[in-house]
Amino acid sequence: MTLSLFDQFLSPVVCWIPLVAIAITLPWILFPSPTTRWLNNRSLTSQNWFLSQATSQIFLPINPPGHKWALLLSSLLIFLTTMNTAGLLPYTFTPTSQLSINMGLAGALWMGVVILGMRTQPTHSLGHLLPEGAPALLTPILVIIETISLFIRPIALGVRLTDNLTAGHLLIQLTSTATLAMLTIMPVTAIFTGILLFLLALLEAAVALIQAHVFVLLLSLYLQENV
């Protein structure tokens, strides 16, 4: 039973070719490409509106030098949103449920932000390791604690995204299995369980969107500290 529950998180392989690469690249085809027309269609207009609103909210507290990251973070937001929501469809695979992929994204982007801060303003970046007004006796301990918290950030980013998606998928699978098992034995209970399954699917769709936004928002906050 335990193996069957977690089989959905295994990367499928066909003819020794991992399909996770196809699962990552294929959804990009669904997005409309920009045109040279004066008036855009509804899908392209909705996409541009979503990007402008999300980018303005994320980069509102960031200084102008950090706006150079707008293209990268907005692309990351679209990527995570697509991966999270596409995995809710039947017979699909969720690449962002893999800890290795999330840790790769979080670690690389966090390292880029830290290196940027050390190159542009090292004094300001190192100043975050010691809170202002801290007693002199607690200085070594606070520096060690802040350093550990700094290195925990990419781990927290990757684990948070993986745990939320994994827990939602497991709840949906457990509820759907219980609904099918009780359909012939207790049909009335199965109806209520089916309603619960529908509500869980809506909740998981909201979680998929929220977690993508939280991932990019936390990266923007780390960027704000270093620019």
Side-chain angles (χ1 to χ4, degrees), residues 86-110:
L88 298 175
L89 300 175
Y91 303 103
T92 55
F93 175 70
T94 311
T96 47
S97 64
Q98 303 295 310
L99 183 61
S100 57
I101 295 178
N102 297 333
M103 288 299 298
L105 289 173
L109 293 171
W110 169 82

Side-chain angles (χ1 to χ4, degrees), residues 175-198:
T175 309
S176 60
T177 304
T179 303
L180 292 176
M182 293 186 298
L183 192 59
T184 56
I185 304 174
M186 295 179 289
V188 178
T189 307
I191 292 174
F192 287 103
T193 312
I195 297 174
L196 177 62
L197 177 62
F198 176 73

Side-chain angles (χ1 to χ4, degrees), residues 9-10 32 51 61 76 92 94 115 123 130 133 146 168 172 178 195 204 208 225:
F9 302 111
L10 296 176
L51 279 177
L76 179 64
T92 55
T94 311
I115 293 175
T123 304
L130 182 62
E146 292 296 330
I172 290 177
I195 297 174
E204 183 64 14
E225 295 179 357

Side-chain angles (χ1 to χ4, degrees), residues 121-205:
Q121 42 185 6
T123 304
H124 181 73
S125 298
L126 293 176
H128 292 290
L129 300 179
L130 182 62
E132 186 177 358
L137 294 176
L138 298 179
T139 297
I141 300 176
L142 290 176
V143 170
I144 295 174
I145 293 175
E146 292 296 330
T147 304
I148 294 174
S149 66
L150 177 65
F151 284 95
I152 286 178
R153 286 179 175 181
I155 302 176
L157 279 177
V159 172
R160 181 188 295 107
L161 182 58
T162 305
D163 286 349
N164 283 280
L165 295 180
T166 303
H169 284 66
L170 288 177
L171 281 176
I172 290 177
Q173 183 170 357
L174 288 172
T175 309
S176 60
T177 304
T179 303
L180 292 176
M182 293 186 298
L183 192 59
T184 56
I185 304 174
M186 295 179 289
V188 178
T189 307
I191 292 174
F192 287 103
T193 312
I195 297 174
L196 177 62
L197 177 62
F198 176 73
L199 296 177
L200 280 176
L202 294 180
L203 178 62
E204 183 64 14

Side-chain angles (χ1 to χ4, degrees), residues 14-33:
V14 176
C15 296
W16 301 283
I17 300 176
L19 299 183
V20 63
I22 300 177
I24 290 175
T25 57
L26 188 60
W28 291 98
I29 305 176
L30 304 176
F31 289 101
S33 57

